[in-house]
Amino acid sequence: MASNLALLYEAPILSVQLVIDGILIGAIFALAAYGMALVWGVMNIINIAQGEFVMLGGYVTFFLAATGVHPLLTVPVAVAVLFIFGWAIYRLVVFRVVDKDLFISILATFGISIVLQQLANELFGADVRTAESGLGTLFFADGLVTVAAIKLVAFVAALVLGASLFLFLKKSRLGQAIRATAQNARAARIVGINTDRVYATTFALNAAICGAAGSLVVMTWLIHPYLGLAYTIRSFMIVIVAGLGNLVGVILAGVGLGAAENFAGFLLGTEYQAAFVFSLLVVILLWRNFRLSRLRKYLK
Amino acid sequence: MTDPVRNVLLYTLIALAGLIAPYVAPTIVIQLALLWMMVLFALTWDLAGGQMGYNSFGNILFFGIGCYVATVVQRELYFDIEEYANVTIADITLSLTPSQYFAGLALGMALSVLIAVAVAAVLGSGILGLRGHYFAICTLGVGVAAGEIASGWEYVGAGSGMVAPIYPGEPDQRGIFFYYLLFILAVICFFTLKRLYSTRFGLAINAIRDDEDKAEAMGIHTTRYKTVAWCVSAFFLALAGGTFGHLNNFIDREVAFPGTTFGVWMVLMAILGGKGTIWGPVIGATVFHVTQELFWTYFFGWQRVALGVLIVVIVLFFPQGIMGWLRERWPEKFGETVDAEGRAAQVSLEEPR
């Protein structure tokens, strides 16, 4: 670890490489996190199956790309498939837990995540998959900093998707209905909003965003049936750092997390990168608790 | 369950069955031992998940700590690290004299309890200060993080795992020894929790489950109670882990931090039997373990899918669990007097909003 730190000091250009890689992957994390914040804010459900949606989106792209379609063209397909899938999951399971206690919805989505993870393992196999985009690599600073072109494309795509979702929520009729329901579901019902449909759309939208994120992940990185939990945890971390409904905050937190993860992977070794992600969650929660406890005056 | 005579009879029957089981069915003694471990799992999960309303998905952490610490202690006490590293599972030379073995096991379990409880206290006092859903997701990460660290850490064998010393004695004695160890642990766990639930502590954690803000307003130190409850879970899980590591003879990340099997099962068993009751986890664990042993092979690899489906179905359609269902069905047997009017009122309350 110390030697790696020394290496970073000797060759600062390596840090640039790590930061750039982190920023590019971080935008994808932010995309999934924005979906989680949407469902959390509107339906008051923390969706543990978030990462599994990402994984499924990745598999859609992987299997379509295997038939010869360019993976970038499959992103809209992944979005559509996951939208329908999310709608189905809502109609099957989630609508039953919308008004219930947060614990019930956590347990229920935890069950969904296990089903999806194990189904993917049975149907698609436990192999690590990736979809080759064939876009080549860009070189900067005399070839010391390399950026795969697909990562840049994915970064831009993630930002565009996030921004269009934001605009959809702000401008469209349905988006306004979603925001109204988030503010006060009962009042929304009174003024004639079909909140059940709003919830279904919200959940399906979330799944669709995760599908897009997964589709980008399989092109820039890799997927396997068990990677869901890491994305759920990352989304959760980003949301609690950035807050609900704060798009810029979500993007900044996502990008920061991506960079931090890359540095940790470099310094501690890649075998500890996953451990770092999960430990960071504990650290963030402890820090949050510490910060909140200073605001609590009534009981020590 | 108010009649003391019936209670004594029930306990005596279970104790007798538990004591003679390994001699009646010596061929399945390991499965029977695991049954008691499942009971312990469900009981400890229910302490936080059911009685206190704090779902934990990472209790497997303490089990894994128990596994690793107990085995590391045996290794450090009696083996040269160089020699140990060259041992493969194929040619096991890790035989100890009985006194060495049991002394090492006892010391290892004592140490694993200390470490697990310390971890629960430190981690718990931090994250349990937050409300339950933060805790739930945090524990989800903690269990995996521990597994990841264990699989990267050379000192505890990293990815290739560690071999625990073999039991000194006859193979059939080994099964019986571990059976009774787990049986006693489960029984102690049951009565400890039963005692705890009847005290102020039990009332406090139930109050936290029902309305944490009110409980806090009433002057209950909620974070302290929550942390203690989690520490009690950690205490018993570490003991079970130490035992299981030795029973299994080999530990690695998959054995010690089995998040997708034991970790999920403990949640499922507790909610199947009935969250927030003392008998619910026992019944849930028994039903689940017996069903699993009998029918699991017929699923042809789809067991874990079925497991997830089962969790969703139970949470959605059977949230009260077996005990809750029995209680609704025959409230008189639980010492509740319900007249026809009350029954009607109760039913109307359960109507969906």
Side-chain angles (χ1 to χ4, degrees), chain A residues 57-75 77 124 128-133 215 218-219 223:
Chain A
Y59 274 108
V60 171
T61 291
F62 171 76
F63 283 116
L64 282 177
T67 64
V69 186
H70 193 274
L72 271 178
L73 299 176
T74 65
V75 176
V77 184
F124 310 142
V128 169
R129 314 279 197 174
T130 178
E132 206 50 61
S133 66
S215 186
V218 74
M219 281 184 264
I223 54 158

Side-chain angles (χ1 to χ4, degrees), chain A residues 36 40 44 46-48 92-94 96-97 99-123 226 229 232-233 236-237 240 270-279 281-286 288-290 292 296 298-300, chain B residues 45 53-55 57 122-123 125-142 144-145 148-154 209 213 216-217 219-224 260 263-264 267 271 275 300-305 307-312 315-317 319 353:
Chain A
M36 178 180 257
W40 192 349
N44 197 24
I46 300 174
N47 180 25
I48 307 262
L92 267 177
V93 178
V94 177
R96 297 175 207 273
V97 298
D99 287 330
K100 298 266 178 64
D101 199 41
L102 203 51
F103 295 114
I104 296 189
S105 58
I106 283 183
L107 273 177
T109 51
F110 173 65
I112 295 173
S113 81
I114 290 173
V115 175
L116 296 181
Q117 167 192 330
Q118 298 298 341
L119 265 182
N121 189 28
E122 286 298 323
L123 296 177
Y226 292 102
L229 185 62
T232 305
I233 298 287
F236 184 73
M237 277 196 273
I240 49 178
T270 41
E271 71 267 29
Y272 284 118
Q273 190 165 346
F276 170 78
V277 175
F278 296 115
S279 312
L281 172 73
V282 180
V283 173
I284 286 179
L285 285 175
L286 290 178
R288 185 189 147 92
N289 185 35
F290 172 73
L292 288 178
R296 283 150 63 108
Y298 48 94
L299 190 68
K300 286 280 179 233
Chain B
W45 190 84
Y54 269 63
N55 294 328
F57 299 113
V122 171
L123 208 60
S125 59
I127 55 177
L128 280 164
L130 295 157
R131 285 298 186 259
H133 41 285
Y134 291 100
F135 174 72
I137 302 207
C138 188
T139 53
L140 202 60
V142 162
V144 184
E148 291 285 341
I149 292 171
S151 68
W153 192 5
E154 281 298 328
R209 173 191 61 192
D213 293 319
E216 193 158 335
I220 296 174
H221 292 277
T222 51
T223 306
R224 205 177 297 166
T260 49
V264 179
V267 182
I271 58 177
K275 287 202 289 181
F300 302 109
W302 290 78
Q303 300 95 330
R304 292 176 180 186
V305 181
L307 210 66
V309 174
L310 209 57
I311 289 187
V312 176
V315 169
L316 292 183
F317 302 109
R353 279 183 285 168

Side-chain angles (χ1 to χ4, degrees), chain B residues 152-331:
Chain B
W153 192 5
E154 281 298 328
Y155 177 70
V156 295
S160 50
M162 288 198 297
V163 183
I166 38 173
Y167 181 80
E170 301 299 314
D172 53 335
Q173 269 183 354
R174 168 176 165 269
I176 289 173
F177 169 73
F178 284 110
Y179 172 85
Y180 281 118
L181 195 54
L182 285 168
F183 172 62
I184 292 166
L185 280 179
V187 169
I188 295 176
C189 178
F190 178 86
F191 283 106
T192 312
L193 295 188
K194 193 170 156 54
R195 181 85 190 87
L196 271 179
Y197 293 158
S198 66
T199 59
R200 194 185 148 77
F201 176 83
L203 291 175
I205 61 173
N206 285 349
I208 290 171
R209 173 191 61 192
D210 295 338
D211 191 328
E212 189 165 350
D213 293 319
K214 281 203 191 93
E216 193 158 335
M218 298 296 283
I220 296 174
H221 292 277
T222 51
T223 306
R224 205 177 297 166
Y225 274 102
K226 287 185 283 188
T227 311
V228 171
W230 213 32
C231 288
V232 174
S233 288
F235 179 90
F236 286 108
L237 280 170
L239 288 174
T243 314
F244 184 74
H246 278 72
L247 171 64
N248 201 44
N249 249 337
F250 169 75
I251 55 167
D252 66 356
R253 180 231 177 125
E254 296 297 316
V255 176
F257 296 101
T260 49
T261 54
F262 292 168
V264 179
W265 293 356
M266 54 174 91
V267 182
L268 182 69
M269 291 184 297
I271 58 177
L272 172 67
K275 287 202 289 181
T277 57
I278 184 78
W279 282 104
V282 180
I283 295 173
T286 313
V287 170
F288 177 77
H289 189 68
V290 171
T291 322
Q292 183 212 353
E293 290 294 334
L294 291 180
F295 300 113
W296 227 212
T297 46
Y298 296 110
F299 279 101
F300 302 109
W302 290 78
Q303 300 95 330
R304 292 176 180 186
V305 181
L307 210 66
V309 174
L310 209 57
I311 289 187
V312 176
V313 168
I314 291 176
V315 169
L316 292 183
F317 302 109
F318 198 53
Q320 76 276 39
I322 294 172
M323 275 304 277
W325 179 77
L326 289 175
R327 198 179 178 121
E328 267 170 32
R329 193 83 183 73
W330 294 284

Side-chain angles (χ1 to χ4, degrees), chain A residues 202-275:
Chain A
T202 309
F203 201 77
L205 262 181
N206 169 40
I209 304 168
C210 290
S215 186
L216 298 174
V217 165
V218 74
M219 281 184 264
T220 54
W221 222 352
L222 48 87
I223 54 158
H224 57 84
Y226 292 102
L227 100 173
L229 185 62
Y231 280 88
T232 305
I233 298 287
R234 282 178 187 130
S235 305
F236 184 73
M237 277 196 273
I238 293 171
V239 173
I240 49 178
V241 169
L244 296 175
N246 176 357
L247 181 62
V248 178
V250 164
I251 290 174
L252 287 181
V255 162
L257 175 66
E261 235 179 74
N262 262 347
F263 269 104
F266 183 79
L267 290 177
L268 307 172
T270 41
E271 71 267 29
Y272 284 118
Q273 190 165 346

